[in-house]
């Protein structure tokens, strides 16, 4: 009764195609929030450190082949195995800044021609992000950025399909679209303004699930 109520943490997700700057912005936002004394952790998917993540990593590095649906289920399992730790962090008041999640899962597999609804079904019931920041830029410019081309999916035509699925099938009015084709600091400033506003609105809302 007399215990002070802990506000739950916020689940902030970054999505977008390859090389739009998600990992860079995750890092900056985690630092921004921790500097404000708001306890915040970064999380990323795939989490390549688990046994399932190890299999995914071998696939992404082109060292194994796998059936498209089997791979999709592994990516999804890799989120389900993190579910308890997501709730644990949020319920103990820690904000999570997450680098890719279910929407990457659906976009990348559906871009291979696998049925969208089938792809989406595996994600239903997972904790739903409070804020989704979608970093947007055209695929030609994204492919010109550092390191592009090293992993399996880094081909221009495939990147365009993924972008189309994000923008025409996954995005809802709630997603915050941020122009990723600007300098890193300008983007970070826009994102921290967005998150600052959401912090007050969301803090006492129940965590919902993907439906
Ligand atoms: N995948 C899937 O199929 N199913 C799933 O369920 C999930 C994922 C979760 C690995 O993901 C692959 O898994 C991915 C999707 C698939 N596909 N591929 N290939 P990953 O998240 O591990 O991928 P990554 O290796 O981290 O790359 P990335 O996410 O594509 O990059 P990014 O995080 O968006 O960008 P970055 O690393 O922050 O920046 C890229 C470069 O650009 C780097 O040199 C930066 O210094 C530079 N950069 C960043 N921002 C800027 C600005 N504003 N201007 C100029 N240059 C910049
Ligand atoms: Mg990244």
């Amino acid at each position: 009764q007399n215990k002070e109520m802990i506000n739950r943490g916020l689940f902030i997700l970054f999505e977008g195609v390859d090389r739009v700057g998600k990992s860079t912005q995750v890092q900056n936002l985690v630092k921004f929030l921790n500097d404000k004394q708001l306890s915040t952790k970064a999380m990323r998917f795939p989490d390549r450190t688990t046994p399932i993540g190890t299999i995914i990593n071998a696939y992404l590095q082109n060292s194994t082949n796998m059936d498209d649906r089997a791979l999709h289920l592994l990516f999804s399992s890799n989120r389900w195995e993190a579910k308890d730790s997501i709730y644990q962090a949020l319920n103990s008041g820690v904000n999570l800044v997450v680098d890719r999640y279910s929407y990457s899962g659906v976009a990348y597999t559906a871009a291979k021609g696998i049925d969208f609804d089938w792809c989406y079904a595996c994600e239903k019931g997972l904790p739903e992000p409070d804020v989704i920041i979608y970093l947007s830029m055209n695929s030609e410019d994204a492919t010109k950025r550092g390191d592009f081309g090293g992993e399996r999916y880094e081909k221009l035509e495939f990147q365009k399909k993924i972008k189309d699925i994000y923008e025409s099938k996954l995005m809802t009015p709630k997603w915050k679209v941020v122009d990723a084709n600007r300098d890193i600091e300008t983007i970070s400033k826009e994102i921290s303004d967005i998150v600052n506003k959401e912090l007050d609105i969301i803090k006492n809302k129940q965590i919902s699930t993907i439906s």
Side-chain angles (χ1 to χ4, degrees):
Q1 282 281 18
N2 52 10
K3 255 197 223 157
E4 216 183 296
M5 257 254 292
I6 307 174
N7 288 321
R8 75 163 173 91
L10 221 64
F11 181 164
I12 303 159
L13 171 65
F14 282 82
E15 283 285 3
V17 299
D18 289 42
R19 296 299 181 269
V20 290
K22 297 177 296 299
S23 300
T24 304
Q25 295 300 331
V26 163
Q27 232 182 332
N28 287 357
L29 183 61
V30 168
K31 184 174 185 312
F32 170 81
L33 291 171
N34 280 316
D35 285 350
K36 282 178 50 130
Q37 312 301 319
L38 297 167
S39 172
T40 304
K41 278 196 335 200
M43 193 178 256
R44 68 181 309 166
F45 294 100
D47 175 356
R48 304 188 194 211
T49 67
T50 72
I52 292 169
T54 306
I55 307 174
I56 294 171
N57 185 49
Y59 175 87
L60 287 172
Q61 296 188 338
N62 276 310
S63 56
T64 51
N65 283 313
M66 209 180 306
D67 176 79
D68 292 336
R69 287 179 184 80
L71 177 75
H72 182 77
L73 294 172
L74 288 176
F75 271 112
S76 185
S77 299
N78 187 234
R79 284 182 281 279
W80 283 102
E81 66 180 346
K83 182 195 69 178
D84 290 348
S85 57
I86 293 174
Y87 279 120
Q88 219 163 43
L90 298 177
N91 288 327
S92 62
V94 176
N95 300 299
L96 292 179
V97 180
V98 181
D99 193 345
R100 296 190 184 276
Y101 195 58
S102 299
Y103 312 96
S104 285
V106 176
Y108 281 74
T109 307
K112 296 174 177 171
I114 307 288
D115 180 67
F116 179 90
D117 295 333
W118 185 88
C119 294
Y120 197 90
C122 322
E123 307 302 316
K124 290 184 182 175
L126 281 168
E128 185 173 44
D130 297 301
V131 185
I132 301 174
I133 294 164
Y134 177 74
L135 295 179
S136 166
M137 68 190 277
N138 76 55
S139 304
E140 280 81 3
D141 289 331
T143 55
K144 286 183 194 130
R145 284 193 174 166
D147 283 344
F148 187 84
E151 282 199 328
R152 193 143 195 149
Y153 295 143
E154 299 181 346
K155 307 276 177 294
L156 181 60
E157 283 317 305
F158 190 59
Q159 292 295 315
K160 286 183 175 171
K161 276 190 196 154
I162 297 161
K163 182 175 161 71
D164 180 59
I165 293 168
Y166 268 125
E167 295 178 9
S168 67
K169 302 198 81 170
L170 288 165
M171 191 178 285
T172 68
K174 170 181 136 163
W175 287 34
K176 314 284 182 197
V177 180
V178 170
D179 176 4
N181 214 354
R182 296 175 293 167
D183 65 275
I184 292 173
E185 283 67 35
T186 307
I187 299 166
S188 297
K189 173 74 173 67
E190 183 173 329
I191 291 169
S192 52
D193 287 345
I194 291 171
V195 171
N196 259 333
K197 281 191 202 133
E198 299 293 324
L199 278 170
D200 291 328
I201 305 169
I202 289 165
K203 67 184 172 199
N204 290 314
K205 235 184 67 191
Q206 255 211 316
I207 303 164
S208 41
T209 55
I210 293 181
S211 59

